[in-house]
Amino acid sequence: MKRSTEKILTTHVGSLPYNEGASVDWVVRKQRELGLDLINEGEYTKGGDWLSYVEERFGGFEPRPPAPGAVPLIAQGKDREAFADFYKYAAEKGTLFYAPGEQIKRVRPIWVCTAPLTYTGEASLEREIAELKRHVPAEDAFLTSTAPASLEVYRRNEYYKSEEEFVFAIAEAMRVEYEAIVRSGVVLQIDDAWLVALWDRIGIQMGLAAFRQRTQMRIEALNHALRNVPEDRVRYHLCWGSWHGPHAFDIELKDVVDLMLKVKAQAYLIEGANARHEHEYALWDSVRLPEGKILIPGVVTHSTDVVEHPEVVSQRIERFAERVGRENVIAGCDCGFGGRSHPQIAWAKLKSLSEGAALASRALF
């Protein structure tokens, strides 16, 4: 995996907005024009959806409609309760997501496991890898896949004897995908967008100790799936939930950072640019980043339409570099922009990311 040895490298989290008529070739060229170093296909080969793409790659599940009156998980949580008036307004106005082309799916079927879980997506995965490598040299490319804990959320188990057995079965199936991506020479990015976002939904009621135990088991399952993958070919994206809401009840990074660092990955993508998590750069004054690891903090965010000034981006990068070392920082984004930001806003933010990284490079090298 490349690291910032001569300048601060830039990347993003994976999902990029659709522009009408856009293709993989177009979105790759756009990233290059904006000055990004480590790029992907914008998740265009996944239809822009990091969850539903696996529906055709799993055997052992059958789809069922949500129960009548069931409230989707995305519409639950302490944030929704405490800011009920805001969420009612936002739902009426459609302001939680910018979603042209339905990149954010609000209603999903419930997939129920009724037989042994298998991976059946080799052919579609091979096409996805080939399309990325056709446009991006493998040494500059990453391809996203999804963590077992996040795939579990919209799935129910009627076959395995326990929750743990079910999660490990998902992990064993996804192992096929993880290993194939790495064998191709491309860096594997694991997206875990539900693991800690569930604190707001179920963790607060469980209490921190029980929630950490729940999280620990799912990280062990992920590591089980990564057991044959070299650590330096993996980057791990931990997400606090990317909806446009107050996020007043997000779990603190300090409460899970030790668990995150147990994931068998070289690089960790964390939020660092939005108003709820920006202060957490100071955590690295007391937490030691293990030798050889890389931080990819968000230095621009999808959570506001304000385009960050390059000087602000540079300051954010420099704060992390001062704490963990410049060679251990890659400048990134809080989360994906697809379905969350207007394309013009997303591209402008990525341009500021590149410009800010150039300023930080001049200051740090």
Side-chain angles (χ1 to χ4, degrees):
M1 188 183 302
K2 287 187 173 181
R3 59 193 315 138
S4 300
T5 54
E6 299 178 358
K7 68 170 187 174
I8 297 295
L9 297 176
T10 56
T11 190
H12 62 94
V13 169
S15 175
L16 294 172
Y18 286 160
N19 281 64
E20 190 173 351
S23 63
V24 170
D25 177 65
W26 180 88
V27 79
V28 167
R29 284 189 285 108
K30 187 70 175 177
Q31 292 171 77
R32 291 297 196 200
E33 290 169 7
L34 294 170
L36 297 179
D37 298 299
L38 308 175
I39 63 179
N40 75 335
E41 34 53 282
E43 295 189 352
Y44 282 26
T45 59
K46 290 182 169 66
D49 194 306
W50 65 286
L51 280 175
S52 64
Y53 85 94
V54 299
E55 291 170 5
E56 64 173 29
R57 300 185 184 185
F58 275 163
F61 286 96
E62 62 180 53
R64 295 179 189 170
V71 179
L73 187 64
I74 199 169
Q76 302 175 32
K78 184 66 174 177
D79 220 53
R80 296 265 179 173
E81 296 172 10
F83 298 95
D85 290 346
F86 161 76
Y87 279 105
K88 180 175 183 295
Y89 164 83
E92 292 169 352
K93 297 294 183 181
T95 58
L96 280 181
F97 297 104
Y98 175 83
E102 294 300 314
Q103 281 186 263
I104 301 294
K105 293 188 177 181
R106 294 173 175 80
V107 179
R108 299 178 185 271
I110 301 298
W111 291 87
V112 180
C113 184
T114 58
L117 206 164
T118 58
Y119 187 85
T120 62
E122 288 90 349
S124 58
L125 175 62
E126 184 177 338
R127 289 192 296 270
E128 185 177 5
I129 293 170
E131 182 67 6
L132 173 62
K133 291 179 68 176
R134 191 161 69 89
H135 299 283
V136 188
E139 62 268 21
D140 295 336
F142 71 93
L143 191 63
T144 60
S145 186
T146 306
S150 289
L151 290 172
E152 171 198 11
V153 170
Y154 287 97
R155 288 166 173 77
R156 301 291 179 267
N157 169 40
E158 291 183 358
Y159 178 80
Y160 292 96
K161 295 178 181 178
S162 67
E163 182 178 271
E164 182 172 356
E165 189 177 338
F166 177 51
V167 173
F168 271 78
I170 297 174
E172 184 60 25
M174 290 304 292
R175 177 182 65 83
V176 179
E177 180 160 306
Y178 301 162
E179 292 179 4
I181 291 172
V182 171
R183 276 198 310 270
S184 76
V186 171
V187 167
L188 165 66
Q189 178 177 302
I190 301 290
D191 289 326
D192 216 349
W194 271 116
L195 185 67
V196 295
L198 285 175
W199 172 256
D200 174 64
R201 272 75 173 187
I202 63 173
I204 294 173
Q205 294 83 0
M206 293 174 67
L208 182 58
F211 186 74
R212 278 177 52 86
Q213 186 174 10
R214 179 190 188 279
T215 301
Q216 173 75 32
M217 184 270 278
R218 285 155 176 83
I219 287 175
E220 289 171 357
L222 174 57
N223 285 342
H224 173 79
L226 292 171
R227 64 188 181 276
N228 299 323
V229 174
E231 185 177 284
D232 64 357
R233 305 306 297 164
V234 183
R235 35 192 266 180
Y236 176 69
H237 168 216
L238 192 66
C239 181
W240 273 256
S242 56
W243 73 95
H244 296 328
H247 286 270
F249 299 95
D250 286 3
I251 197 169
E252 299 281 344
L253 179 58
K254 65 180 175 62
D255 291 326
V256 292
V257 66
D258 60 322
L259 298 178
M260 179 188 77
L261 292 173
K262 289 181 179 180
V263 173
K264 188 186 178 186
Q266 182 174 34
Y268 301 96
L269 296 97
I270 58 173
E271 297 188 13
N274 68 65
R276 192 68 198 179
H277 293 283
E278 185 175 0
H279 70 286
E280 293 182 315
Y281 73 87
L283 177 65
W284 302 99
D285 286 327
S286 55
V287 174
R288 177 183 172 275
L289 184 68
E291 189 71 27
K293 301 286 190 175
I294 299 170
L295 272 188
I296 309 180
V299 291
V300 296
T301 183
H302 64 285
S303 64
T304 172
D305 287 339
V306 175
V307 177
E308 293 86 351
H309 194 287
E311 290 282 2
V312 171
V313 173
S314 179
Q315 289 171 10
R316 289 170 174 166
I317 294 169
E318 290 176 55
R319 288 199 297 248
F320 281 98
E322 289 166 0
R323 286 162 173 81
V324 303
R326 64 189 185 183
E327 72 282 2
N328 301 322
V329 175
I330 295 174
C333 309
D334 276 351
C335 198
F337 287 107
R340 298 173 177 91
S341 300
H342 187 283
Q344 283 190 319
I345 299 295
W347 307 135
K349 283 174 172 284
L350 290 172
K351 183 64 173 175
S352 282
L353 168 62
S354 294
E355 292 174 348
L359 291 175
S361 296
R362 287 198 287 272
L364 293 167
F365 288 86

